[in-house]
Amino acid sequence: MSTRYPFTAVVGMDDLRLALLLNAVSPAVGGVLVRGEKGTAKSTAVRALAELLPAVPVVAGCRFSCDPASPDLGCPDGPHGTAPGTERPARMVELPVGASEDRLVGSLDIEKALSEGVKAFEPGLLASAHRGILYVDEVNLLSDHLIDHLLDAAAMGSSYVEREGVSVRHAARFLLVGTMNPEEGELRPQLLDRFGLTVEVAASRDPQQRVEVVRRRLAFEDDPAVFADRWAADEAALRERIVTARALLPQVTLGDAVLLQIAATCAAFEVDGMRADIVMARTATALAAWAGRTEVTSEDVRQAALLALPHRRRRSPFDAPGLDEDKLDETLEEFKGQDQEPDEDPDPDGPGDGGPGDGGPGGGVPPQSDGPAAENSPAPGETSPPAPAPAPSPEPAPQSAGSGERAAVAAAEPFRTKVLSVPGLGEGAAGRRSRARTEHGRTTGSVRPRGTLTKLHLAATVQAAAPHQKARGRTGPGLVVRRDDLRQATREGREGNLVLFAVDASGSMAARQRMSAVKGAVLSLLLDAYQRRDKVGLITFRGRDAEVALPPTSSVDAAAARLEKLPTGGRTPLSAGLLKAHDVLRVERLRDPSRRPLLVVVTDGRATGGGADPVALAARAARLHAADGTASVVVDCETGPVRLGLARELARELGGTAVTLDELRADSIAGLVRDVQGNRKTTARRAA
């Protein structure tokens, strides 16, 4: 008896259950991405799906799950010929966020390959997931090099393992299911597009439904076997419905009128490429089969659009996925076929009839109609429609909010910034900002392997083995290679950093035009951090103190949302802002010592609060960062014909560099030192 939580016992979440079931009916739909706040049973529902899938016929003894009816001709365990077939349950393979490359794609014994010419291959998770489900929890936190392998496998339906010219290929076709919390950062656009459908989930605000969730969960934990037995009949009925829908699927037809609606909808929402059209067609067909029909209707197209298009529409990184449903309805009505009456109910007993369990798994409820649209903000679950974070509605001149505080102003249009990087060579998480030792990148040298050899340095290995060939009794043309001869290639790539913003929101920055430009600059840097896979944090200082507006996080859009609402006014406690930044960086070094920080101070350099001598206090706080070796950049916001140069003095105390807002632009003719190392050397020479 399975101890997984039953799929039919999941309360609510109609959209999620429907999306998963459509993929069970038609794996060609392409998988599901589940976005939502923590603790909403995303993983529970996904894991429960595997129990509903029909058994898979495989070649007996094949580690790569070849189909007996059409075995893979290039299977490493083949050729299979007329090998007997057997059945096994459908697999759901979980890919941990911290998995190694060898764990995902498999490993090849390089020593045997070089010395014996034997391809000794140990399959990875991609091989295990073939013809099943590959589930990635927290998929947005997956390392870039693992994402690259997933993209290759999803595009080609096969996985290649190559080590210095020795390669192995095997089939890898799987249903990709991922879950993520948008507060922890967004997903790479290339991988996002590989998910056929996306759904947003949020905890119910209905007390009665929340009570039922708790009641069922406690009952399951008290006795999983008894709880599963209670839902066994509903599970069996749902499993049978999936089998019936799969059998009906080849008979479902897509009329020309429906295809025109699909194409018009994708064009209306300006989605990139043609994958959206294909996924919508497959999803609408699966919806019809799930409802027991052989013809796709306009309602199927509508539901397919709400599932397949939100993550594909053209948007900025700070916009939450979503669709304008009024625009969708107008498009569908405009291109509605003449053979259907406008008020006709195409299937009164279709998906809306419910299914086994509580309210039926994913009946005909249009996706996103019950639940709130997900907001990439610190307050998930709000019911307001998604809107771009950096584009608030136009406001009149800032109004006084008391105690010299002025209301928030809109950010100026963001722009492409020049690259700010941390000096030296790091070893942090893979990214695209600063130089680092990585598993991928250009080869810079070789070392003896300290474990499993993953990247062979062929020339260094041959050089190490060559002097010993006579002593080892070499007689033939082959090279006698021993374990001690092997050399691991050292490579240099790019890492992601922690970019901590300290933003001056005092009265000296409160001029509407200046603060708008400052917000636009910070927003531009946040966009750059998003593209370079950085973590970000936001500290603001004004009045008497500084506060951490956003602790370091991978959610760049959350920082953009905080920035949008930032008010200004009061004195300039510059020292407090720098000390708060020092505390945050100290804690982050303990949490993640390999991720190097970059401090970005956005200020005009004036210090008018925090003690009897605020300028001296600010200089002392800046020297704390310099002593820690923290790379820093001061964005000089001073404007006007008379400039005091205080921001550049602050940069010298920090041991960093200062740039103006104009110099920050990538298309500016003003020079910008790309690496803060240059200014640090200058500071050292002056001190000497």
Side-chain angles (χ1 to χ4, degrees), residues 73-85:
L73 297 178
C75 176
D77 284 356
H80 295 301
T82 58

Side-chain angles (χ1 to χ4, degrees), residues 570-583:
R571 291 181 176 272
T572 311
L574 181 56
S575 60
L578 295 174
L579 290 174
K580 183 69 72 174
H582 186 265
D583 290 342

Side-chain angles (χ1 to χ4, degrees), residues 259-278 280 301 305 309 312-314 323 327-328 331-332 334-335:
L259 283 172
L260 182 59
Q261 283 186 316
I262 291 173
T265 301
C266 292
F269 285 98
E270 299 181 337
V271 297
D272 294 326
M274 294 297 297
R275 184 173 287 118
D277 303 63
I278 297 171
M280 273 190 66
V301 175
L309 296 188
R312 289 189 169 91
R313 69 176 179 84
R314 192 169 298 174
L323 288 184
K327 180 179 179 180
L328 174 61
T331 304
L332 292 175
E334 180 182 354
F335 291 90

Side-chain angles (χ1 to χ4, degrees), residues 230-499:
R230 172 185 166 192
W231 294 90
D234 290 340
E235 292 280 290
L238 185 56
R239 193 177 296 110
E240 182 61 30
R241 187 175 177 185
I242 292 174
V243 172
T244 302
R246 278 192 173 190
L248 183 62
L249 188 64
Q251 305 173 36
V252 177
T253 59
L254 273 168
D256 289 343
V258 170
L259 283 172
L260 182 59
Q261 283 186 316
I262 291 173
T265 301
C266 292
F269 285 98
E270 299 181 337
V271 297
D272 294 326
M274 294 297 297
R275 184 173 287 118
D277 303 63
I278 297 171
V279 171
M280 273 190 66
R282 289 171 174 166
T283 305
T285 303
L287 279 163
W290 178 246
R293 290 182 274 104
T294 58
E295 187 175 352
V296 176
T297 67
S298 292
E299 182 58 29
D300 294 331
V301 175
R302 186 181 192 278
Q303 287 194 347
L306 289 170
L307 288 169
L309 296 188
H311 62 300
R312 289 189 169 91
R313 69 176 179 84
R314 192 169 298 174
R315 59 191 179 94
S316 76
F318 301 137
D319 292 348
L323 288 184
D324 183 341
E325 295 194 32
D326 291 336
K327 180 179 179 180
L328 174 61
D329 291 335
E330 290 174 4
T331 304
L332 292 175
E333 186 63 33
E334 180 182 354
F335 291 90
K336 196 176 184 70
Q338 300 300 317
D339 56 338
Q340 247 181 6
E341 295 297 328
D343 296 326
E344 177 185 349
D345 184 356
D347 183 42
D349 297 319
D353 64 350
D358 179 46
V365 181
Q368 301 178 343
S369 59
D370 276 348
E375 291 283 333
N376 289 330
S377 69
E382 296 177 0
T383 56
S384 57
S393 57
E395 300 177 3
Q399 301 296 319
S400 173
S403 302
E405 180 179 303
R406 295 173 180 265
V409 299
E413 189 71 21
F415 52 85
R416 188 168 63 90
T417 66
K418 291 186 177 179
V419 181
L420 305 175
S421 62
V422 178
L425 196 62
E427 296 181 345
R432 300 174 184 173
R433 183 172 296 279
S434 304
R435 295 171 54 224
R437 298 183 185 92
T438 61
E439 287 293 321
H440 299 268
R442 64 185 182 89
T443 301
T444 58
S446 64
V447 294
R448 290 180 182 270
R450 291 181 291 181
T452 302
L453 181 69
T454 56
K455 299 290 183 182
L456 178 73
H457 195 297
L458 185 58
T461 299
V462 172
Q463 187 177 8
H468 308 291
Q469 296 305 295
K470 185 175 181 180
R472 293 172 183 174
R474 173 187 170 187
T475 58
L479 189 68
V480 181
V481 179
R482 301 283 171 81
R483 175 69 185 175
D484 290 343
D485 300 328
L486 299 179
R487 295 293 183 269
Q488 175 86 17
T490 57
R491 305 198 174 198
E492 182 179 310
R494 293 281 169 177
E495 67 177 359
N497 298 111
L498 166 59
V499 183

Side-chain angles (χ1 to χ4, degrees), residues 345-686:
D345 184 356
D347 183 42
D349 297 319
D353 64 350
D358 179 46
V365 181
Q368 301 178 343
S369 59
D370 276 348
E375 291 283 333
N376 289 330
S377 69
E382 296 177 0
T383 56
S384 57
S393 57
E395 300 177 3
Q399 301 296 319
S400 173
S403 302
E405 180 179 303
R406 295 173 180 265
V409 299
E413 189 71 21
F415 52 85
R416 188 168 63 90
T417 66
K418 291 186 177 179
V419 181
L420 305 175
S421 62
V422 178
L425 196 62
E427 296 181 345
R432 300 174 184 173
R433 183 172 296 279
S434 304
R435 295 171 54 224
R437 298 183 185 92
T438 61
E439 287 293 321
H440 299 268
R442 64 185 182 89
T443 301
T444 58
S446 64
V447 294
R448 290 180 182 270
R450 291 181 291 181
T452 302
L453 181 69
T454 56
K455 299 290 183 182
L456 178 73
H457 195 297
L458 185 58
T461 299
V462 172
Q463 187 177 8
H468 308 291
Q469 296 305 295
K470 185 175 181 180
R472 293 172 183 174
R474 173 187 170 187
T475 58
L479 189 68
V480 181
V481 179
R482 301 283 171 81
R483 175 69 185 175
D484 290 343
D485 300 328
L486 299 179
R487 295 293 183 269
Q488 175 86 17
T490 57
R491 305 198 174 198
E492 182 179 310
R494 293 281 169 177
E495 67 177 359
N497 298 111
L498 166 59
V499 183
L500 182 62
F501 294 91
V503 180
D504 185 350
S506 64
S508 64
M509 304 280 289
R512 181 181 179 88
Q513 187 175 4
R514 180 190 294 188
M515 199 61 202
S516 178
V518 167
K519 284 188 175 183
V522 177
L523 194 63
S524 303
L525 290 168
L526 286 172
L527 180 59
D528 182 66
Y530 165 81
Q531 295 169 340
R532 299 185 187 281
R533 311 287 289 176
D534 294 318
K535 288 180 67 175
V536 297
L538 179 63
I539 292 172
T540 62
F541 53 95
R542 65 187 181 88
R544 297 182 179 180
D545 206 355
E547 65 173 348
V548 180
L550 183 72
T553 175
S554 297
S555 181
V556 177
D557 49 355
R562 295 290 202 281
L563 181 70
E564 174 195 347
K565 302 173 183 177
L566 178 65
T568 57
R571 291 181 176 272
T572 311
L574 181 56
S575 60
L578 295 174
L579 290 174
K580 183 69 72 174
H582 186 265
D583 290 342
V584 170
L585 293 179
R586 177 178 54 82
V587 173
E588 286 301 310
R589 284 191 182 96
L590 296 175
R591 290 178 176 171
D592 189 358
S594 64
R595 188 180 288 269
R596 298 186 296 163
L598 174 63
L599 176 64
V600 179
V601 184
V602 184
T603 181
D604 58 7
R606 297 178 183 177
T608 58
D613 191 349
V615 175
L617 288 174
R620 188 182 305 171
R623 287 194 290 270
L624 289 177
H625 290 281
D628 289 341
T630 302
S632 58
V633 175
V634 178
V635 179
D636 184 0
C637 303
E638 191 174 28
T639 58
V642 179
R643 304 194 181 191
L644 303 178
L646 298 176
R648 296 191 177 273
E649 289 293 333
L650 176 63
R652 279 193 284 272
E653 295 289 356
L654 286 167
T657 189
V659 297
T660 65
L661 292 176
D662 180 62
E663 290 171 337
L664 196 60
R665 294 178 178 270
D667 55 357
S668 171
I669 60 174
L672 172 64
V673 179
R674 290 174 175 263
D675 197 306
V676 297
Q677 182 71 42
N679 190 271
R680 183 172 295 171
K681 290 180 179 178
T682 301
T683 304
R685 286 197 299 269
R686 289 177 179 174

